[in-house]
């Protein structure tokens, strides 16, 4: 079943070029909001698989749909695609070329904003999210669910219909998920998502992916509203024999000269350091807060 689930997600990714970037963006967003990613292997948050299935269900439910329902995929499966695993029907085309092209012409950014609006308005506690049918259904009584265990979020596996993929998710996580979706939907309707910043500040998807609440991202140190990505350069086992200063200089050169990013040493620019610091950051990792040079640096263009 795990193998067929993986093949199914691969088919969805190959079926439409918008699926992969949407999946990556949602995983980054959910991780920044601490809604997904159970680090200990178990916990009350969404798994990446469950989050991806939420995206699949959303794309199935558009009008016209971006992805077909699993029931529709069964009808499109050829004789060589028929499969049964543990009594469950796992039939679907192996090749995305067998699928009908989607008539949905929305951009990926538009679909991302719509994802948040969609889940921000659903009463998830009373619904059965069914990739099989490609939509959210009123949740039937427990005795008619065929062994499926309902919960605060009932997300049915595409093939093993008695399995709730989100059975581990608590009511608190579901409540936060809905609230974060509403906040993100509100941001997507505002100028910070729709218009390019003239001051070099994050906008659009980059603004959405900042850690913390969508409408009030957390900033630390001298970040001054910038989009910060920590790059750890002190692995416990060293850097493969290469001096730390050379590694920092090389990474700093690529970030600064090739990608046009600003680089700050750990602790922020002007920080006197902490106990145990042996030397100041090497030239390649020196801090610069000028926000880029010229008119284009620091802004997100093409």
């Amino acid at each position: 079943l795990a193998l067929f689930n993986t093949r199914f997600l691969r088919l969805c990714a190959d079926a439409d070029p918008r699926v992969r970037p949407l999946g990556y963006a949602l995983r980054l967003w959910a991780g920044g909001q601490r809604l997904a990613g159970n680090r200990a292997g178990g916990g009350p948050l969404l798994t990446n698989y469950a989050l991806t299935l939420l995206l699949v269900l959303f794309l199935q439910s558009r009008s016209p749909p971006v992805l077909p329902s699993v029931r529709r995929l069964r009808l499109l499966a050829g004789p060589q695609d028929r499969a049964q695993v543990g009594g469950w029907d796992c039939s679907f085309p192996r090749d995305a070329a067998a699928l009908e092209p989607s008539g949905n012409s929305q951009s990926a950014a538009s679909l991302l904003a719509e994802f948040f609006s969609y889940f921000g308005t659903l009463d998830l506690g009373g619904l059965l999210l069914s990739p099989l049918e490609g939509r959210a259904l009123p949740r039937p009584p427990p005795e008619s669910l065929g062994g499926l265990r309902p919960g605060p979020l009932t997300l049915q596996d595409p093939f093993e219909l008695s399995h709730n993929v989100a059975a581990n998710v608590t009511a608190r996580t579901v409540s936060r998920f809905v609230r974060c979706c509403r906040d993100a939907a509100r941001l997507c309707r505002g100028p910070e998502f729709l218009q390019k910043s003239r001051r070099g500040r994050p906008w659009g998807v980059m603004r959405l992916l900042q850690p913390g609440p969508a409408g009030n991202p957390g900033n630390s140190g001298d970040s001054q509203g910038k989009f910060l990505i920590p790059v750890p350069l002190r692995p416990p086992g060293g850097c493969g024999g290469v001096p730390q200063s050379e590694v920092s200089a090389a990474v700093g050169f690529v970030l600064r000269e090739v990608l046009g990013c600003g680089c700050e040493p750990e602790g922020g620019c002007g920080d006197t350091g902490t106990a145990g610091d042996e030397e100041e950051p090497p030239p390649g990792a020196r801090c610069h807060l000028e926000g880029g040079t010229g008119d284009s640096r620091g802004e997100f263009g093409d």
Side-chain angles (χ1 to χ4, degrees):
L1 283 169
L3 177 61
F4 279 95
N5 283 335
T6 303
R7 288 177 177 172
F8 169 67
L9 294 183
R10 173 65 180 270
L11 178 70
C12 292
D14 290 344
D16 192 282
R18 293 167 290 186
V19 175
R20 276 192 177 91
L22 283 170
Y24 295 148
L26 282 175
R27 286 190 180 191
L28 282 171
W29 170 80
Q33 304 300 319
R34 298 183 181 178
L35 295 168
N38 296 295
R39 297 186 179 182
L45 305 182
L46 288 162
T47 63
N48 280 329
Y49 177 57
L51 186 64
T52 304
L53 278 187
L54 289 177
L55 171 63
V56 168
L57 177 103
F58 164 75
L59 295 176
Q60 292 171 329
S61 67
R62 297 305 85 204
S63 180
V66 177
L67 294 174
S69 68
V70 174
R71 191 175 295 282
R72 176 61 181 164
L73 290 175
R74 288 180 182 176
L75 297 176
L76 297 174
Q80 71 280 7
D81 300 322
R82 299 290 170 188
Q84 290 267 342
V85 179
W88 300 109
D89 189 349
C90 298
S91 304
F92 58 89
R94 300 295 184 268
D95 189 350
L99 305 184
E100 302 141 335
S102 171
N104 189 302
S105 60
Q106 290 179 260
S107 68
S110 173
L111 288 169
L112 181 64
E114 205 168 285
F115 173 93
F116 296 124
S117 297
Y118 178 73
F119 282 104
T121 56
L122 291 183
D123 178 16
L124 294 174
L127 295 174
L128 169 64
L129 305 183
S130 173
L132 174 66
E133 303 296 342
R135 61 185 188 274
L137 305 170
R139 195 166 75 191
E143 60 271 13
S144 63
L145 288 174
L148 179 71
R149 187 179 70 178
L153 179 60
T154 307
L155 176 59
Q156 191 176 43
D157 188 88
F159 309 111
E160 188 183 1
L161 303 182
S162 63
H163 176 48
N164 179 7
V165 174
N168 65 300
V169 178
T170 62
R172 181 178 180 181
T173 299
V174 173
S175 176
R176 286 204 307 111
F177 173 72
V178 172
R179 186 170 64 251
C180 288
C181 282
R182 289 173 181 169
D183 291 342
R186 190 179 306 113
L187 186 148
C188 290
R189 292 191 296 267
E192 291 177 317
F193 186 80
L194 301 172
Q195 299 174 10
K196 179 179 178 179
S197 170
R198 296 299 180 187
R199 299 182 179 180
R201 294 178 179 175
W203 71 286
V205 175
M206 297 298 288
R207 175 67 175 81
L208 184 69
L209 297 183
Q210 287 185 298
N216 185 27
N219 298 318
S220 59
D222 295 321
S223 61
Q224 297 179 355
K226 298 178 181 177
F227 181 66
L228 300 181
I229 304 175
V231 181
L233 291 176
R234 297 182 181 181
C239 299
V242 181
Q244 174 70 38
S245 59
E246 293 184 19
V247 173
S248 297
V251 173
F253 173 82
V254 172
L255 291 173
R256 189 178 62 252
E257 303 299 332
V258 179
L259 300 179
C261 298
C263 293
E264 300 179 5
E266 185 176 12
C269 187
D271 198 328
T272 57
T274 57
D277 286 344
E278 299 174 350
E279 58 183 356
E280 68 176 77
R286 284 189 187 278
C287 167
H288 64 89
L289 291 173
E290 63 270 20
T293 58
D295 294 332
S296 60
R297 283 288 179 92
E299 292 193 359
F300 295 89
D302 292 340

